[in-house]
Amino acid sequence: MSGPDELAEQWGKVSLALRHEIGHAIFESWLSPLSPLSLSNGVIYLKSPTGFVRDWVTNHYSGDILSIWRTVNHEVLSVEIVVYSVPKTSLESVSYELPVEAESEQDWSRDGALDPRFTFENFIVGKPNELAHAAARRVAEATEVTFNPLFLYGGVGLGKTHLMHAIAWHIKKHSPNRKVIYLSAEKFMYQFIKALRFKDTMAFKEQFRSVDVLMIDDVQFISGKDSTQEEFFHTFNALVDQNHQIVVSADKSPSDLDGMEERMKSRLGWGLVADIHPTTYELRLGILQSKVRSMGAKVPGKVLEFLAAKIISNIRELEGALNRLMAHSSLTGHAVTLESAQELLKDLLRKHDKRLSIEDIQKRVAEHYGIRTSEMHSAKRIRSVALPRQVAMYLSKNLTPFSLPEIGRKFGGRDHTTVIHAIKKIDALKIEDSGFAYNLEILIKILES
Ligand code: ADP
Ligand code: MG
């Protein structure tokens, strides 16, 4: 159905959303080398210059790519990444093997990796983040290690990366002799894998072991990769033994990090574990006001209150909404008003207006299929239970703004890949079985009424 132009256009949209979702740096490193090849039988084929990039993206991002792509084109059922070999005559193919590393080894500790906006001065403190903020401050200002590691955790877009960069900026400014390294867990793994390939793991280890403060962002990405986990563990222990500060962030608490070895989980929880709670109205409003002030812009208080009340998912989305309004106003020369805000943010607001909860869906679907609501969380795999559960997951994705991991969590702590699997399954069933499709329609009507 989709020709090459449409496919390119879809990839353009998906890329934009992905860049937003996973961050510019990761996108540039891993996803920008990809391009769309074809769409057939619901499968999107993306081409990758190397097997390494293919494996990495498949393991980490195929779920995100799929769920975003499905919002652009509902026909898509899965995403496959294939290695597309460049003809031998092309010189480029030779230098393509490691697309990320045009940069030097030390890059991760340079300022380039740090966002200049992410400072303590620009961080608004409220109830949900006060502990995390105080702990980050303490680490930044301390001359001695008080708790090790500092483990920051919380949902997407709540300020973990901001706090880590703020620590780094503070130390760079006030104690320039201290060596600080900030890097994402993915970068850590990438460097490690590269060191393995070039048989240079000694140098790799030495670099980390000579730092004063090591910060690793999003460690949930280290889980599952045995050799990197092992290396992380050793580096971690060496640094702790030498009394060097470690700061780690993740989207879950140490004990909830699936795929992480027990000894690692317990070690991560040794220091101070500070979670960042979902935002409150006051915090959202405070952040908006401070952003508007720092941009020297004028936005009516009513509009800010409206945004703070409506966009509750995370701060990144809130900022995105504000940016959209400002961009529009500066392009058209019209002031931002409540009406224009409502109009411009229609799509975002619709997403947040759905007040249907995952629990509502589970309850209704369970009633519909005559099973107990508790079976939505159970591990049972028999079809009479598994199918309703998959239906409920599918509806949760389609009728609520929750992310795949959030949905998985509400279904007895399942992984987001299980949710993706359920969505694919239900999509396929809808096509195969018209009775089922009809039933599903009815369920949706009931839930939406
Ligand atoms: P996370 O790493 O937890 O996903 P980020 O640190 O990237 O989230 O934060 C997302 C966006 O929200 C960033 O632009 C960040 O500056 C902003 N932000 C988060 N918390 C605050 C805060 N308390 N005050 C000001 N801006 C914040
Ligand atoms: Mg982050």
Side-chain angles (χ1 to χ4, degrees), residues 117-118 122-125 129 155-163 217 283 287 315-316 319:
R117 298 165 305 168
F118 290 2
N122 292 339
F123 191 85
I124 307 296
V125 185
N129 58 26
V156 177
L158 296 183
K160 302 180 294 292
T161 299
H162 189 135
L163 281 176
D217 206 351
L283 180 61
I287 289 171
I315 299 165
R316 198 172 295 148
E319 286 183 346

Side-chain angles (χ1 to χ4, degrees), residues 172-394:
K172 274 171 190 292
K173 185 164 164 201
H174 298 278
S175 330
N177 296 332
R178 301 187 79 199
K179 186 173 173 200
V180 182
I181 286 185
Y182 163 86
L183 77 169
S184 64
E186 311 198 86
K187 194 105 186 181
F188 179 87
M189 288 174 66
Y190 182 83
Q191 296 294 345
F192 176 65
I193 293 164
K194 203 178 87 175
L196 274 183
R197 284 181 151 204
F198 292 105
K199 307 197 169 33
D200 198 15
T201 49
M202 275 307 283
F204 173 83
K205 289 174 192 175
E206 281 317 304
Q207 299 213 25
F208 290 113
R209 289 178 193 182
S210 63
V211 302
D212 295 298
V213 181
L214 172 63
M215 292 193 272
I216 300 200
D217 206 351
D218 289 322
V219 290
Q220 69 272 12
F221 288 119
I222 289 182
S223 59
K225 302 276 167 181
D226 290 345
S227 55
T228 350
Q229 224 184 95
E230 188 76 26
E231 186 46 46
F232 179 56
F233 189 68
H234 290 311
T235 304
F236 188 99
N237 287 338
L239 286 171
V240 171
D241 290 344
Q242 295 161 15
N243 217 15
H244 292 169
Q245 180 70 52
I246 297 181
V247 183
V248 161
S249 86
D251 64 351
K252 308 182 191 68
S253 73
S255 56
D256 287 338
L257 283 171
D258 312 320
M260 192 71 96
E261 282 178 40
E262 283 307 320
R263 55 174 189 169
M264 191 69 227
K265 285 188 192 175
S266 86
R267 193 87 210 235
L268 284 170
W270 272 15
L272 179 71
V273 176
D275 62 338
I276 307 186
H277 296 273
T279 57
T280 57
Y281 172 78
E282 288 70 31
L283 180 61
R284 293 193 294 275
L285 189 60
I287 289 171
L288 288 171
Q289 286 165 340
S290 129
K291 272 217 90 172
V292 168
R293 219 176 304 124
S294 74
M295 292 191 288
K298 274 214 189 83
V299 178
K302 260 208 177 73
V303 172
L304 300 184
E305 286 163 20
F306 173 72
L307 294 181
K310 288 287 186 176
I311 301 182
I312 58 175
S313 51
N314 68 50
I315 299 165
R316 198 172 295 148
E317 281 211 350
L318 195 63
E319 286 183 346
L322 182 63
N323 289 339
R324 208 195 282 184
L325 298 185
M326 309 284 258
H328 183 265
S329 144
S330 91
L331 287 172
T332 60
H334 297 310
V336 179
T337 63
L338 195 53
E339 290 70 35
S340 71
Q342 276 168 326
E343 179 58 28
L344 283 167
L345 302 174
K346 242 196 298 194
D347 55 334
L348 258 183
L349 295 172
R350 201 174 312 124
K351 183 168 138 196
H352 289 275
D353 249 359
K354 287 181 186 142
R355 265 171 267 262
L356 201 57
S357 69
I358 294 176
E359 287 79 4
D360 293 335
I361 294 177
Q362 292 175 326
K363 188 163 166 284
R364 284 306 181 95
V365 174
E367 276 168 14
H368 187 84
Y369 284 93
I371 63 169
R372 282 197 301 273
T373 310
S374 62
E375 282 172 325
M376 290 287 166
H377 315 276
S378 80
K380 281 188 208 158
R381 285 159 183 267
I382 48 166
R383 191 177 153 90
S384 59
V385 176
L387 183 69
R389 195 161 54 218
Q390 288 170 325
V391 167
M393 287 184 194
Y394 172 90

